[in-house]
Amino acid sequence: SQLAVSRSLDIETGDQLARVDPRALSNRLRSFDWIENSQISRNWISGKVSVSIATRTPVALYSEPGKPQVVLDSSGNTFATPADIADGLPKVSAKSVDGGLAAIKVFTALPESFSKNIDRMSAARANNFLIYGKFEGQDLRIIWGDGEDTLLKIKVINALLEQPENKTIRMIDVTAPHAPIVK
């Protein structure tokens, strides 16, 4: 947050400009893992210190087994969840950051009409995904398989959910979308 950054820099109005060390201030900002990079400069004419910060852009709330939830950016960096993190980020669990990034790639390829029903995704491996969510009023676990045939898989899931005999199912396996399994 802005207040935390301001406190970290510890610059007061009236401080001598020559005593402000931009490199030391940049090093202090590195302690905030949500800051991707920063630039600090002194303007000798105006007597002002300029601070420019680029923050990491979160793409998912991410968790690994036995570890607390963090935020994941598109480069695979994880960082603590800032208090004002945007709601609506997908939740992903995986055994590795690579698996988490692969799951996000699949998630972002899904049409919003489908992805809005997803509570969380899990990546057992970088090519084996599980989707948990509420579809047509049913809590489902969808064994997605790899990231291929996305539109076909969605079409198969929708067709299965339209069938009256599938109103109580809890699992759909579309790993092989031409031969889906329901339970």
Side-chain angles (χ1 to χ4, degrees):
S1 78
Q2 188 174 352
L3 181 60
V5 168
S6 180
R7 285 183 178 158
S8 164
L9 293 175
D10 194 28
I11 301 172
E12 297 289 329
T13 302
D15 284 353
Q16 293 183 2
L17 201 55
R19 297 199 184 275
V20 174
D21 181 357
R23 189 174 312 149
L25 296 175
S26 282
N27 287 338
R28 280 188 220 157
L29 292 179
R30 284 196 186 99
S31 68
F32 296 100
D33 53 6
W34 52 270
I35 294 177
E36 188 169 1
N37 60 53
S38 63
Q39 272 191 310
I40 299 176
S41 60
R42 299 175 291 189
N43 185 320
W44 293 99
I45 296 169
S46 69
K48 293 183 179 181
V49 176
S50 296
V51 179
S52 174
I53 294 173
T55 59
R56 297 188 188 284
T57 303
V59 295
L61 296 174
Y62 171 74
S63 60
E64 287 182 24
K67 294 184 179 177
Q69 180 175 276
V70 292
V71 178
L72 180 67
D73 75 4
S74 62
S75 300
N77 295 297
T78 59
F79 50 102
T81 309
D84 58 351
I85 196 73
D87 286 335
L89 282 178
K91 295 180 183 116
V92 173
S93 58
K95 293 179 182 175
S96 70
V97 168
D98 288 342
L101 288 173
I104 288 303
K105 185 176 178 183
V106 170
F107 182 88
T108 55
L110 296 169
E112 198 269 336
S113 59
F114 184 82
S115 67
K116 70 180 181 185
N117 300 307
I118 297 174
D119 177 48
R120 65 184 172 93
M121 286 186 70
S122 176
R125 292 183 304 281
N127 62 354
N128 185 10
F129 306 104
L130 298 172
I131 294 174
Y132 300 87
K134 196 169 197 114
F135 300 85
E136 299 299 321
Q138 295 173 245
D139 287 320
L140 290 177
R141 176 174 61 116
I142 300 172
I143 302 171
W144 191 260
D146 60 24
E148 302 299 314
D149 301 318
T150 296
L151 295 179
L152 176 61
K153 290 176 181 181
I154 292 171
K155 189 175 180 180
V156 168
I157 291 166
N158 289 336
L160 289 169
L161 291 174
E162 288 174 4
Q163 301 300 313
E165 65 268 20
N166 291 332
K167 291 298 177 198
T168 60
I169 63 171
R170 294 285 167 240
M171 186 277 297
I172 298 175
D173 184 340
V174 288
T175 303
H178 293 288
I181 300 169
V182 296
K183 289 185 182 176

